[in-house]
PDB file of all heavy atoms in Angstrom:
ATOM      1  N   HIS A 645      69.097 141.312  29.955  1.00  0.00           N
ATOM      2  CA  HIS A 645      70.220 140.986  30.839  1.00  0.00           C
ATOM      3  C   HIS A 645      71.268 142.101  30.884  1.00  0.00           C
ATOM      4  O   HIS A 645      72.472 141.844  30.944  1.00  0.00           O
ATOM      5  CB  HIS A 645      70.879 139.673  30.397  1.00  0.00           C
ATOM      6  CG  HIS A 645      69.914 138.537  30.286  1.00  0.00           C
ATOM      7  ND1 HIS A 645      69.374 137.898  31.386  1.00  0.00           N
ATOM      8  CD2 HIS A 645      69.361 137.941  29.188  1.00  0.00           C
ATOM      9  CE1 HIS A 645      68.543 136.950  30.975  1.00  0.00           C
ATOM     10  NE2 HIS A 645      68.510 136.959  29.647  1.00  0.00           N
ATOM     11  N   LEU A 646      70.788 143.346  30.830  1.00  0.00           N
ATOM     12  CA  LEU A 646      71.669 144.501  30.933  1.00  0.00           C
ATOM     13  C   LEU A 646      71.280 145.230  32.215  1.00  0.00           C
ATOM     14  O   LEU A 646      70.341 146.012  32.248  1.00  0.00           O
ATOM     15  CB  LEU A 646      71.482 145.421  29.723  1.00  0.00           C
ATOM     16  CG  LEU A 646      72.430 146.613  29.603  1.00  0.00           C
ATOM     17  CD1 LEU A 646      73.855 146.147  29.359  1.00  0.00           C
ATOM     18  CD2 LEU A 646      71.987 147.530  28.470  1.00  0.00           C
ATOM     19  N   TYR A 647      72.014 144.966  33.263  1.00  0.00           N
ATOM     20  CA  TYR A 647      71.597 145.418  34.581  1.00  0.00           C
ATOM     21  C   TYR A 647      72.117 146.823  34.868  1.00  0.00           C
ATOM     22  O   TYR A 647      73.285 147.133  34.622  1.00  0.00           O
ATOM     23  CB  TYR A 647      72.067 144.433  35.647  1.00  0.00           C
ATOM     24  CG  TYR A 647      71.519 143.050  35.407  1.00  0.00           C
ATOM     25  CD1 TYR A 647      72.317 142.040  34.873  1.00  0.00           C
ATOM     26  CD2 TYR A 647      70.177 142.778  35.654  1.00  0.00           C
ATOM     27  CE1 TYR A 647      71.790 140.780  34.620  1.00  0.00           C
ATOM     28  CE2 TYR A 647      69.647 141.516  35.412  1.00  0.00           C
ATOM     29  CZ  TYR A 647      70.460 140.526  34.886  1.00  0.00           C
ATOM     30  OH  TYR A 647      69.935 139.282  34.622  1.00  0.00           O
ATOM     31  N   LEU A 648      71.235 147.666  35.387  1.00  0.00           N
ATOM     32  CA  LEU A 648      71.554 149.059  35.650  1.00  0.00           C
ATOM     33  C   LEU A 648      72.322 149.209  36.962  1.00  0.00           C
ATOM     34  O   LEU A 648      72.046 148.513  37.937  1.00  0.00           O
ATOM     35  CB  LEU A 648      70.272 149.888  35.724  1.00  0.00           C
ATOM     36  CG  LEU A 648      69.462 150.035  34.436  1.00  0.00           C
ATOM     37  CD1 LEU A 648      68.150 150.760  34.746  1.00  0.00           C
ATOM     38  CD2 LEU A 648      70.239 150.804  33.386  1.00  0.00           C
ATOM     39  N   ASN A 649      73.275 150.136  36.956  1.00  0.00           N
ATOM     40  CA  ASN A 649      73.936 150.539  38.189  1.00  0.00           C
ATOM     41  C   ASN A 649      73.138 151.718  38.744  1.00  0.00           C
ATOM     42  O   ASN A 649      73.278 152.854  38.296  1.00  0.00           O
ATOM     43  CB  ASN A 649      75.381 150.950  37.905  1.00  0.00           C
ATOM     44  CG  ASN A 649      76.140 151.269  39.188  1.00  0.00           C
ATOM     45  OD1 ASN A 649      75.554 151.420  40.257  1.00  0.00           O
ATOM     46  ND2 ASN A 649      77.445 151.383  39.078  1.00  0.00           N
ATOM     47  N   ILE A 650      72.286 151.439  39.705  1.00  0.00           N
ATOM     48  CA  ILE A 650      71.359 152.450  40.210  1.00  0.00           C
ATOM     49  C   ILE A 650      72.107 153.644  40.807  1.00  0.00           C
ATOM     50  O   ILE A 650      71.657 154.786  40.716  1.00  0.00           O
ATOM     51  CB  ILE A 650      70.405 151.834  41.253  1.00  0.00           C
ATOM     52  CG1 ILE A 650      69.593 150.708  40.600  1.00  0.00           C
ATOM     53  CG2 ILE A 650      69.469 152.877  41.836  1.00  0.00           C
ATOM     54  CD1 ILE A 650      68.654 149.991  41.539  1.00  0.00           C
ATOM     55  N   LEU A 651      73.293 153.396  41.374  1.00  0.00           N
ATOM     56  CA  LEU A 651      74.062 154.486  41.964  1.00  0.00           C
ATOM     57  C   LEU A 651      74.559 155.470  40.911  1.00  0.00           C
ATOM     58  O   LEU A 651      74.878 156.623  41.224  1.00  0.00           O
ATOM     59  CB  LEU A 651      75.247 153.926  42.757  1.00  0.00           C
ATOM     60  CG  LEU A 651      74.891 153.055  43.971  1.00  0.00           C
ATOM     61  CD1 LEU A 651      76.153 152.538  44.640  1.00  0.00           C
ATOM     62  CD2 LEU A 651      74.035 153.836  44.968  1.00  0.00           C
ATOM     63  N   GLU A 652      74.641 155.008  39.658  1.00  0.00           N
ATOM     64  CA  GLU A 652      75.090 155.888  38.567  1.00  0.00           C
ATOM     65  C   GLU A 652      73.926 156.600  37.884  1.00  0.00           C
ATOM     66  O   GLU A 652      74.142 157.429  37.002  1.00  0.00           O
ATOM     67  CB  GLU A 652      75.871 155.078  37.527  1.00  0.00           C
ATOM     68  CG  GLU A 652      77.190 154.519  38.022  1.00  0.00           C
ATOM     69  CD  GLU A 652      78.204 155.610  38.333  1.00  0.00           C
ATOM     70  OE1 GLU A 652      78.175 156.656  37.650  1.00  0.00           O
ATOM     71  OE2 GLU A 652      78.991 155.439  39.279  1.00  0.00           O
ATOM     72  N   CYS A 653      72.704 156.268  38.268  1.00  0.00           N
ATOM     73  CA  CYS A 653      71.526 156.922  37.688  1.00  0.00           C
ATOM     74  C   CYS A 653      71.120 158.096  38.582  1.00  0.00           C
ATOM     75  O   CYS A 653      71.075 157.955  39.798  1.00  0.00           O
ATOM     76  CB  CYS A 653      70.366 155.934  37.580  1.00  0.00           C
ATOM     77  SG  CYS A 653      70.716 154.487  36.544  1.00  0.00           S
ATOM     78  N   ASN A 654      70.847 159.230  37.982  1.00  0.00           N
ATOM     79  CA  ASN A 654      70.491 160.397  38.784  1.00  0.00           C
ATOM     80  C   ASN A 654      69.522 161.296  38.036  1.00  0.00           C
ATOM     81  O   ASN A 654      69.276 161.118  36.844  1.00  0.00           O
ATOM     82  CB  ASN A 654      71.745 161.180  39.200  1.00  0.00           C
ATOM     83  CG  ASN A 654      72.619 161.519  38.010  1.00  0.00           C
ATOM     84  OD1 ASN A 654      72.285 162.399  37.223  1.00  0.00           O
ATOM     85  ND2 ASN A 654      73.738 160.811  37.864  1.00  0.00           N
ATOM     86  N   VAL A 655      68.970 162.254  38.765  1.00  0.00           N
ATOM     87  CA  VAL A 655      67.967 163.187  38.230  1.00  0.00           C
ATOM     88  C   VAL A 655      68.464 164.612  38.452  1.00  0.00           C
ATOM     89  O   VAL A 655      69.068 164.917  39.489  1.00  0.00           O
ATOM     90  CB  VAL A 655      66.605 163.000  38.930  1.00  0.00           C
ATOM     91  CG1 VAL A 655      65.578 163.962  38.359  1.00  0.00           C
ATOM     92  CG2 VAL A 655      66.129 161.567  38.810  1.00  0.00           C
ATOM     93  N   ILE A 656      68.220 165.477  37.480  1.00  0.00           N
ATOM     94  CA  ILE A 656      68.556 166.884  37.634  1.00  0.00           C
ATOM     95  C   ILE A 656      67.456 167.718  36.978  1.00  0.00           C
ATOM     96  O   ILE A 656      66.886 167.313  35.958  1.00  0.00           O
ATOM     97  CB  ILE A 656      69.936 167.217  37.011  1.00  0.00           C
ATOM     98  CG1 ILE A 656      70.305 168.680  37.286  1.00  0.00           C
ATOM     99  CG2 ILE A 656      69.956 166.932  35.524  1.00  0.00           C
ATOM    100  CD1 ILE A 656      71.743 169.029  36.935  1.00  0.00           C
ATOM    101  N   THR A 657      67.133 168.842  37.589  1.00  0.00           N
ATOM    102  CA  THR A 657      66.115 169.747  37.058  1.00  0.00           C
ATOM    103  C   THR A 657      66.789 171.044  36.621  1.00  0.00           C
ATOM    104  O   THR A 657      67.501 171.660  37.417  1.00  0.00           O
ATOM    105  CB  THR A 657      65.049 170.069  38.124  1.00  0.00           C
ATOM    106  OG1 THR A 657      64.408 168.862  38.518  1.00  0.00           O
ATOM    107  CG2 THR A 657      64.007 171.028  37.569  1.00  0.00           C
ATOM    108  N   PHE A 658      66.587 171.416  35.370  1.00  0.00           N
ATOM    109  CA  PHE A 658      67.139 172.670  34.858  1.00  0.00           C
ATOM    110  C   PHE A 658      66.046 173.732  34.869  1.00  0.00           C
ATOM    111  O   PHE A 658      65.022 173.585  34.204  1.00  0.00           O
ATOM    112  CB  PHE A 658      67.665 172.491  33.426  1.00  0.00           C
ATOM    113  CG  PHE A 658      68.843 171.569  33.338  1.00  0.00           C
ATOM    114  CD1 PHE A 658      68.723 170.316  32.774  1.00  0.00           C
ATOM    115  CD2 PHE A 658      70.080 171.956  33.819  1.00  0.00           C
ATOM    116  CE1 PHE A 658      69.803 169.460  32.685  1.00  0.00           C
ATOM    117  CE2 PHE A 658      71.185 171.116  33.745  1.00  0.00           C
ATOM    118  CZ  PHE A 658      71.036 169.865  33.175  1.00  0.00           C
ATOM    119  N   THR A 659      66.268 174.773  35.628  1.00  0.00           N
ATOM    120  CA  THR A 659      65.297 175.864  35.704  1.00  0.00           C
ATOM    121  C   THR A 659      65.952 177.080  36.347  1.00  0.00           C
ATOM    122  O   THR A 659      66.935 176.952  37.094  1.00  0.00           O
ATOM    123  CB  THR A 659      64.064 175.457  36.530  1.00  0.00           C
ATOM    124  OG1 THR A 659      63.142 176.530  36.556  1.00  0.00           O
ATOM    125  CG2 THR A 659      64.458 175.080  37.945  1.00  0.00           C
ATOM    126  N   LYS A 660      65.399 178.246  36.052  1.00  0.00           N
ATOM    127  CA  LYS A 660      65.850 179.479  36.699  1.00  0.00           C
ATOM    128  C   LYS A 660      64.814 179.992  37.698  1.00  0.00           C
ATOM    129  O   LYS A 660      64.975 181.064  38.267  1.00  0.00           O
ATOM    130  CB  LYS A 660      66.158 180.544  35.648  1.00  0.00           C
ATOM    131  CG  LYS A 660      67.384 180.213  34.799  1.00  0.00           C
ATOM    132  CD  LYS A 660      67.787 181.362  33.894  1.00  0.00           C
ATOM    133  CE  LYS A 660      69.072 181.023  33.147  1.00  0.00           C
ATOM    134  NZ  LYS A 660      69.512 182.145  32.268  1.00  0.00           N
ATOM    135  N   LYS A 661      63.763 179.190  37.897  1.00  0.00           N
ATOM    136  CA  LYS A 661      62.741 179.557  38.866  1.00  0.00           C
ATOM    137  C   LYS A 661      63.197 179.207  40.281  1.00  0.00           C
ATOM    138  O   LYS A 661      63.915 178.231  40.493  1.00  0.00           O
ATOM    139  CB  LYS A 661      61.434 178.827  38.554  1.00  0.00           C
ATOM    140  CG  LYS A 661      60.818 179.195  37.207  1.00  0.00           C
ATOM    141  CD  LYS A 661      59.529 178.418  36.980  1.00  0.00           C
ATOM    142  CE  LYS A 661      58.898 178.779  35.649  1.00  0.00           C
ATOM    143  NZ  LYS A 661      57.643 178.009  35.397  1.00  0.00           N
ATOM    144  N   LYS A 662      62.748 179.982  41.256  1.00  0.00           N
ATOM    145  CA  LYS A 662      63.081 179.707  42.653  1.00  0.00           C
ATOM    146  C   LYS A 662      62.236 178.570  43.216  1.00  0.00           C
ATOM    147  O   LYS A 662      62.682 177.807  44.066  1.00  0.00           O
ATOM    148  CB  LYS A 662      62.896 180.970  43.495  1.00  0.00           C
ATOM    149  CG  LYS A 662      63.900 182.071  43.164  1.00  0.00           C
ATOM    150  CD  LYS A 662      63.738 183.270  44.091  1.00  0.00           C
ATOM    151  CE  LYS A 662      64.777 184.336  43.785  1.00  0.00           C
ATOM    152  NZ  LYS A 662      64.651 185.528  44.670  1.00  0.00           N
ATOM    153  N   THR A 663      61.004 178.453  42.749  1.00  0.00           N
ATOM    154  CA  THR A 663      60.134 177.358  43.164  1.00  0.00           C
ATOM    155  C   THR A 663      59.706 176.577  41.933  1.00  0.00           C
ATOM    156  O   THR A 663      59.277 177.168  40.935  1.00  0.00           O
ATOM    157  CB  THR A 663      58.887 177.891  43.900  1.00  0.00           C
ATOM    158  OG1 THR A 663      58.175 178.789  43.054  1.00  0.00           O
ATOM    159  CG2 THR A 663      59.298 178.606  45.171  1.00  0.00           C
ATOM    160  N   PHE A 664      59.828 175.271  41.999  1.00  0.00           N
ATOM    161  CA  PHE A 664      59.471 174.430  40.853  1.00  0.00           C
ATOM    162  C   PHE A 664      59.099 173.040  41.356  1.00  0.00           C
ATOM    163  O   PHE A 664      59.367 172.674  42.510  1.00  0.00           O
ATOM    164  CB  PHE A 664      60.633 174.341  39.864  1.00  0.00           C
ATOM    165  CG  PHE A 664      61.942 173.933  40.485  1.00  0.00           C
ATOM    166  CD1 PHE A 664      62.293 172.605  40.594  1.00  0.00           C
ATOM    167  CD2 PHE A 664      62.826 174.900  40.977  1.00  0.00           C
ATOM    168  CE1 PHE A 664      63.492 172.225  41.163  1.00  0.00           C
ATOM    169  CE2 PHE A 664      64.012 174.527  41.562  1.00  0.00           C
ATOM    170  CZ  PHE A 664      64.355 173.192  41.652  1.00  0.00           C
ATOM    171  N   ILE A 665      58.469 172.283  40.493  1.00  0.00           N
ATOM    172  CA  ILE A 665      58.014 170.926  40.834  1.00  0.00           C
ATOM    173  C   ILE A 665      59.199 169.962  40.738  1.00  0.00           C
ATOM    174  O   ILE A 665      59.918 169.937  39.737  1.00  0.00           O
ATOM    175  CB  ILE A 665      56.895 170.479  39.885  1.00  0.00           C
ATOM    176  CG1 ILE A 665      55.689 171.412  40.000  1.00  0.00           C
ATOM    177  CG2 ILE A 665      56.482 169.029  40.180  1.00  0.00           C
ATOM    178  CD1 ILE A 665      54.589 171.122  39.001  1.00  0.00           C
ATOM    179  N   THR A 666      59.403 169.183  41.768  1.00  0.00           N
ATOM    180  CA  THR A 666      60.448 168.156  41.747  1.00  0.00           C
ATOM    181  C   THR A 666      59.795 166.776  41.738  1.00  0.00           C
ATOM    182  O   THR A 666      58.810 166.542  42.435  1.00  0.00           O
ATOM    183  CB  THR A 666      61.369 168.279  42.972  1.00  0.00           C
ATOM    184  OG1 THR A 666      60.579 168.174  44.163  1.00  0.00           O
ATOM    185  CG2 THR A 666      62.104 169.612  42.966  1.00  0.00           C
ATOM    186  N   CYS A 667      60.376 165.901  40.956  1.00  0.00           N
ATOM    187  CA  CYS A 667      59.849 164.534  40.843  1.00  0.00           C
ATOM    188  C   CYS A 667      60.795 163.566  41.549  1.00  0.00           C
ATOM    189  O   CYS A 667      61.998 163.552  41.250  1.00  0.00           O
ATOM    190  CB  CYS A 667      59.706 164.130  39.373  1.00  0.00           C
ATOM    191  SG  CYS A 667      58.624 165.192  38.413  1.00  0.00           S
ATOM    192  N   ASP A 668      60.277 162.774  42.444  1.00  0.00           N
ATOM    193  CA  ASP A 668      61.052 161.707  43.061  1.00  0.00           C
ATOM    194  C   ASP A 668      60.932 160.465  42.193  1.00  0.00           C
ATOM    195  O   ASP A 668      59.853 159.876  42.066  1.00  0.00           O
ATOM    196  CB  ASP A 668      60.544 161.413  44.474  1.00  0.00           C
ATOM    197  CG  ASP A 668      60.863 162.541  45.442  1.00  0.00           C
ATOM    198  OD1 ASP A 668      61.863 163.238  45.208  1.00  0.00           O
ATOM    199  OD2 ASP A 668      60.108 162.725  46.406  1.00  0.00           O
ATOM    200  N   CYS A 669      62.045 160.083  41.575  1.00  0.00           N
ATOM    201  CA  CYS A 669      62.045 158.943  40.644  1.00  0.00           C
ATOM    202  C   CYS A 669      62.675 157.726  41.311  1.00  0.00           C
ATOM    203  O   CYS A 669      63.598 157.859  42.131  1.00  0.00           O
ATOM    204  CB  CYS A 669      62.795 159.315  39.368  1.00  0.00           C
ATOM    205  SG  CYS A 669      62.082 160.740  38.498  1.00  0.00           S
ATOM    206  N   TYR A 670      62.183 156.549  40.930  1.00  0.00           N
ATOM    207  CA  TYR A 670      62.602 155.310  41.587  1.00  0.00           C
ATOM    208  C   TYR A 670      63.022 154.259  40.569  1.00  0.00           C
ATOM    209  O   TYR A 670      62.516 154.210  39.447  1.00  0.00           O
ATOM    210  CB  TYR A 670      61.461 154.735  42.435  1.00  0.00           C
ATOM    211  CG  TYR A 670      60.988 155.643  43.545  1.00  0.00           C
ATOM    212  CD1 TYR A 670      60.049 156.639  43.301  1.00  0.00           C
ATOM    213  CD2 TYR A 670      61.477 155.482  44.850  1.00  0.00           C
ATOM    214  CE1 TYR A 670      59.606 157.465  44.324  1.00  0.00           C
ATOM    215  CE2 TYR A 670      61.038 156.308  45.876  1.00  0.00           C
ATOM    216  CZ  TYR A 670      60.104 157.289  45.604  1.00  0.00           C
ATOM    217  OH  TYR A 670      59.674 158.101  46.617  1.00  0.00           O
TER     218      TYR A 670
END
């Protein structure tokens, strides 16, 4: 019964590469 605030959840990728794999999380 601990409900997530989806708007406060986010994804970030740390890299110095110009092209990299991005994951769409749900």
Side-chain angles (χ1 to χ4, degrees):
H645 306 286
L646 186 66
Y647 301 104
L648 294 174
N649 185 347
I650 300 178
L651 296 178
E652 294 294 328
C653 300
N654 53 74
V655 180
I656 184 170
T657 299
F658 294 109
T659 181
K660 292 188 176 181
K661 297 180 180 179
K662 292 184 178 180
T663 58
F664 52 89
I665 299 174
T666 58
C667 301
D668 290 332
C669 301
Y670 299 84

